[in-house]
Amino acid sequence: MDRRRFITRTGTLAAAATTLAAPAIAQTAPELKWRLTSSFPKSLDTIYGAAEVFAKFVSEATDGRFQIQCFPAGEIVPGLQAADKVSDGTLEMCHTCSYYYWGKDPAFAFGTAVPFGLNSRQQNAWFYHGGGNELLNEFYAPYNFIGLPGGNTGAQMGGWFRKEIRTPDDLKGVKMRIAGFAGAVMQKMGVVPQQIAGGEIYPSLEKGTIDAAEWVGPYDDQKLGFNKVAPFYYYPGWWEGGAALHFFINTAKWSELPKSYQAVITAAAMAANVDAQAKYDQLNPQAIKKLVADGAKLRPYPQEVMEACFNAAKETYAEISAKNPAFQKLYEAMAAQRNDAYLWQQVSENTFDTFMMSQQRKKQL
C-alpha cells in the first residue's frame, strides 16, 4: 500500500471519529452552573461546610464541568425560605433541615429528627436501606423537589437554662427558644415555646426575654457564648437524637441531568453526610471540656423529666397521626425501624459502649 495514501486516509478517519465523538461527549457531560442556598450562616462552619464539601466533590468528579455555587443563609434567600425557592424553581437546590418546614406539614419533621426518634446511625440505616428516603421523596413530590441526606449533627444537647430543672414542674412557665415538633411537645410540659433566630438567642437570654434555649451542641453552642448568660447545660436533646440535614433539588432540574451527573450528586451528598458528623464527633469533645472549664454546669435531664416528656411526645404523635395520613405513614415506618434497631443495638453497640465508659470512669483508658 502507498505509504502517503495510507497516512492520508488514516488521518481522515481519525478526524471523522473525533468529529462524531465530540457531540456524544458534550451530551453526557454538559457544562452546568447551579446555585445552592444554605439555611445556615458561614460562621457555623460544620453545617454550612457540608454544602461546600458537596460542591467540591461534584466539581472534581466532573473535571469542573458541573459547578455548584454555595450561598450562606440570607445572601440570596432568607435561611428559612430555602426550600420554597427550590420548590418554585428559582434555585436548583438548597441545603437545609426538613423540619424547618413543619409549619407547612408536620410530616416534614421526619426528614430531620423527631422527639425520641432515631439516632444518627439508625437514621442513616432507615434513609439508605430501610426505605425512609423513598418515603420522604414520595412526600416531597408535591413540593417539586427530591431530598438526599446531607449531614448529621448526632444527638444534640438539651439546651441552656437560667435555672436548674429538677422535676417536670420546673419546666412550667419557662420561656424557651424551641420550635416545631419539639416545641409542641414542650408546650404540653408547660413550656412557652419561642421561635428566635440564632443571632438573637444570646441577647434574649441576657435580657431575660427568654429563660432557656436549645441550639445544636458544644462546638456550635460555644461560639455563641450561651454559658455566660444561662449556666445550666442539659442533655440529651431528646427531640434530636440524630438531626439530619438534606439537600433538596428541584424535580425538573434533577430530571434534566444526565444519569452520570445524578450519580455524582448522589455520591457527593453521601460524602457530605459522613463528613459532617465525623467533623462534629471530632470537635465536640474538646468544646464540651472547654465549656465546663469556663463554668458551664453540665446536667442530665432527671429521669422523671425524661419520662414525662416521652409520654407527652407519644400523645402528640397520636394527635397528629389521627388527622394527617402522611404523618402517620412516616411515623409508623420510623417507629418500626426504631424498634428493630434498638433490639440490635442494645446487644452490640450499647453493651460495648457501656463497658468502655465504665473503664473510662475507672481511669483505665
Side-chain angles (χ1 to χ4, degrees):
M1 180 182 289
D2 182 82
R3 181 173 177 275
R4 182 175 297 173
R5 183 180 172 193
F6 175 77
I7 292 171
T8 302
R9 186 180 177 192
T10 303
T12 302
L13 289 172
T18 303
T19 303
L20 289 170
I25 293 171
Q27 287 172 12
T28 56
E31 291 193 13
L32 295 177
K33 290 187 178 180
W34 278 16
R35 292 184 300 167
L36 177 157
T37 187
S38 174
S39 285
F40 315 106
K42 278 189 175 181
S43 58
L44 295 179
D45 58 312
T46 303
I47 295 183
Y48 177 78
E52 294 184 318
V53 168
F54 166 81
K56 179 175 181 287
F57 273 98
V58 170
S59 176
E60 292 181 354
T62 61
D63 291 327
R65 297 182 71 86
F66 192 176
Q67 297 287 332
I68 298 175
Q69 186 176 5
C70 300
F71 296 91
E75 189 164 316
I76 58 172
V77 174
L80 299 184
Q81 293 178 25
D84 298 330
K85 296 305 178 183
V86 174
S87 182
D88 67 19
T90 302
L91 294 173
E92 291 84 3
M93 66 182 302
C94 70
H95 187 229
T96 188
C97 287
S98 183
Y99 69 2
Y100 287 162
Y101 310 98
W102 154 276
K104 294 180 185 295
D105 190 314
F108 270 101
F110 291 98
T112 301
V114 291
F116 301 100
L118 303 172
N119 66 29
S120 60
R121 282 189 58 180
Q122 294 165 356
Q123 194 91 293
N124 279 336
W126 186 48
F127 287 158
Y128 291 129
H129 298 288
N133 215 53
E134 287 82 358
L135 285 173
L136 284 165
N137 279 329
E138 179 184 305
F139 168 71
Y140 295 145
Y143 297 93
N144 299 319
F145 53 72
I146 68 157
L148 295 171
N152 203 300
T153 66
Q156 295 196 2
M157 293 294 284
W160 297 86
F161 288 77
R162 292 164 62 88
K163 68 173 187 177
E164 198 164 2
I165 304 298
R166 296 186 178 90
T167 71
D169 285 342
D170 291 329
L171 289 171
K172 292 179 179 176
V174 171
K175 297 189 293 295
M176 183 176 186
R177 185 271 181 194
I178 190 169
F181 201 161
V185 175
M186 277 294 207
Q187 199 163 15
K188 285 183 177 290
M189 301 297 300
V191 168
V192 183
Q194 308 286 310
Q195 188 152 343
I196 299 174
E200 298 172 17
I201 298 174
Y202 183 95
S204 297
L205 280 169
E206 187 177 37
K207 295 172 185 175
T209 308
I210 58 174
D211 308 304
E214 59 83 30
W215 188 236
V216 178
Y219 178 68
D220 287 341
D221 291 4
Q222 183 185 26
K223 292 183 176 183
L224 299 178
F226 296 146
N227 58 305
K228 299 172 185 174
V229 287
F232 295 100
Y233 197 21
Y234 277 88
Y235 64 91
W238 44 261
W239 49 89
E240 292 175 308
L245 313 171
H246 262 74
F247 293 105
F248 288 157
I249 305 167
N250 179 270
T251 306
K253 291 297 183 182
W254 174 257
S255 299
E256 291 170 4
L257 290 177
K259 292 293 183 184
S260 59
Y261 278 14
Q262 289 182 354
V264 166
I265 280 185
T266 301
M270 293 180 79
N273 190 37
V274 171
D275 185 76
Q277 179 154 9
K279 190 172 180 182
Y280 270 123
D281 285 344
Q282 180 65 25
L283 296 170
N284 278 331
Q286 303 306 315
I288 193 70
K289 288 193 287 188
K290 184 68 166 59
L291 284 167
V292 171
D294 288 345
K297 299 176 181 179
L298 199 59
R299 299 282 189 276
Y301 277 121
Q303 184 69 15
E304 185 184 1
V305 171
M306 291 290 286
E307 293 280 357
C309 292
F310 181 75
N311 291 332
K314 288 173 65 178
E315 289 178 14
T316 308
Y317 281 121
E319 290 167 1
I320 300 174
S321 292
K323 55 189 179 184
N324 187 323
F327 180 95
Q328 182 180 24
K329 184 176 183 178
L330 282 160
Y331 172 57
E332 289 176 351
M334 183 280 297
Q337 181 81 21
R338 180 184 59 188
N339 291 344
D340 282 346
Y342 276 116
L343 280 173
W344 163 237
Q345 287 192 344
Q346 66 182 299
V347 172
S348 59
E349 300 292 330
N350 185 61
T351 306
F352 175 75
D353 289 346
T354 299
F355 174 78
M356 293 302 289
M357 287 184 279
S358 73
Q359 297 307 303
Q360 185 179 49
R361 287 191 292 270
K362 294 176 184 178
K363 303 188 184 304
Q364 294 300 306
L365 297 185

